[in-house]
Amino acid sequence: MTNSSSSKKHDQDQPESSSPTLKSQRTKMPKSEDTDKKNSGKKLKDVEISVPIVYGNIAFWLGKKASEYQSHKWTVYVRGATNEDLGAIVKRCVFQLHSSFNNPTRVVESPPFELSETGWGEFEIAITLYFHSDVCDKPLNLYHHLKLYPEDENSSMTTKKPVVVELYDEIVFPDPSEAFLSRVQGHPAVNLPRLPAGVTLPPPIPVEDASKRRKGDTKDHSLTQWFTNFSEADELLQLAAARQQVQAHIAKLRRQISLIDGQQQQFKSTPEQ
């Protein structure tokens, strides 16, 4: 059974659409307990490692092949913000689907962390990320509302352009272990901090099997063309535009305050009759 239940079903004449999201989410993980010092090494105090991720879904309308209970083929996923392999950080990913699906708890043990299904309804998917032992001993719970139908109601649906809904999150790991930091040196999916003075690390650990990295690298993914570009340049442009709006609003408020102050001064200076 591949049907899904829906809290909201849309008319079939709606178009496909996508809506990029401003980078704003930042999730700070709890500090790992020192239960495995032998394997992870000492902790680096006052140091943070951040891993930008994107999670969401892509949904394709099946067009003439669509039926009442199978109108869309969709893929839900967690990927690196720049489409890099997350396997060095994430050990496995668990997707909790609606109970109407066979085996609704889907466990993905290796990258790419994604799954595909068919259905007609929208519902919330719980996504749990489990990290390698030297990264963090606590899992991260994410929640994504599966989106099949576009928001715009003015255009007809098409099989050529999917609905794309993605969310950006930056996972922050405080006080990482030396083992973790050494292992991910040079990894494109990881933002490494500037180390405190006097702290040195051994050379980066080479990848034993290059095919493992290629397996999880989503740069050549078949859906790459639809992924949202969460680049730093785009974010800076959005932040600059938001800053201009804030400054304009502040200037407007100052003018209003100045006008009110002027009226009050005029009222005080008016002699009583």
Side-chain angles (χ1 to χ4, degrees):
M1 180 178 177
T2 57
N3 303 346
S4 60
S5 296
S6 173
S7 59
K8 183 179 180 182
K9 187 173 181 181
H10 299 247
D11 295 333
Q12 292 295 305
D13 59 353
Q14 292 182 319
E16 305 293 343
S17 67
S18 61
S19 53
T21 304
L22 176 66
K23 295 166 64 173
S24 58
Q25 184 67 25
R26 195 170 189 263
T27 301
K28 192 168 185 177
M29 299 299 295
K31 296 179 182 180
S32 297
E33 299 178 2
D34 295 332
T35 56
D36 194 10
K37 293 183 179 179
K38 182 178 179 181
N39 293 329
S40 62
K42 72 176 183 179
K43 301 292 184 180
L44 299 173
K45 300 298 182 182
D46 302 322
V47 172
E48 292 182 343
I49 292 178
S50 64
V51 181
I53 67 167
V54 172
Y55 60 98
N57 79 267
I58 292 180
F60 289 89
W61 179 51
L62 297 177
K64 294 180 179 180
K65 297 180 180 179
S67 64
E68 182 179 2
Y69 295 108
Q70 290 188 344
S71 61
H72 290 78
K73 180 178 180 180
W74 52 264
T75 300
V76 61
Y77 51 83
V78 179
R79 63 180 179 86
T82 54
N83 303 332
E84 298 289 351
D85 178 10
L86 291 176
I89 302 95
V90 179
K91 184 177 182 180
R92 68 178 180 276
C93 181
V94 178
F95 297 93
Q96 185 64 47
L97 306 183
H98 191 272
S99 58
S100 61
F101 283 86
N102 286 333
N103 183 26
T105 302
R106 307 290 178 87
V107 181
V108 181
E109 297 284 358
S110 61
F113 298 106
E114 64 181 35
L115 68 88
S116 298
E117 269 290 357
T118 56
W120 59 270
E122 299 177 345
F123 58 92
E124 186 177 68
I125 300 176
I127 306 171
T128 304
L129 300 181
Y130 293 87
F131 304 102
H132 292 289
S133 59
D134 63 349
V135 176
C136 185
D137 53 13
K138 302 291 193 301
L140 174 61
N141 295 313
L142 305 170
Y143 299 91
H144 174 69
H145 189 82
L146 178 69
K147 189 70 176 173
L148 305 182
Y149 302 91
E151 297 292 343
D152 188 0
E153 301 179 0
N154 298 321
S155 303
S156 59
M157 291 182 66
T158 174
T159 58
K160 296 181 179 180
K161 185 178 180 181
V163 167
V164 182
V165 178
E166 296 187 317
L167 298 173
Y168 175 98
D169 196 345
E170 186 174 331
I171 311 175
V172 179
F173 300 97
D175 297 354
S177 67
E178 284 189 343
F180 175 30
L181 190 53
S182 297
R183 188 167 56 78
V184 296
Q185 285 186 82
H187 196 291
V190 179
N191 292 332
L192 296 180
R194 178 178 295 179
L195 296 179
V199 176
T200 58
L201 294 174
I205 301 174
V207 178
E208 297 179 1
D209 186 355
S211 64
K212 292 182 179 180
R213 176 174 292 180
R214 288 195 300 270
K215 179 181 179 182
D217 194 336
T218 54
K219 287 188 178 297
D220 297 325
H221 196 287
S222 59
L223 300 176
T224 298
Q225 63 175 314
W226 306 115
F227 288 157
T228 306
N229 179 19
F230 290 90
S231 70
E232 295 296 333
D234 290 341
E235 182 185 13
L236 289 175
L237 288 174
Q238 290 175 327
L239 290 175
R243 183 179 181 182
Q244 288 180 347
Q245 291 180 348
V246 171
Q247 290 176 336
H249 186 61
I250 291 174
K252 180 180 178 181
L253 290 176
R254 285 176 175 171
R255 290 194 297 269
Q256 291 175 343
I257 292 173
S258 178
L259 179 62
I260 293 173
D261 289 342
Q263 291 174 344
Q264 289 179 342
Q265 291 296 330
Q266 183 180 5
F267 178 77
K268 290 179 180 179
S269 61
T270 303
E272 295 182 1
Q273 299 296 329

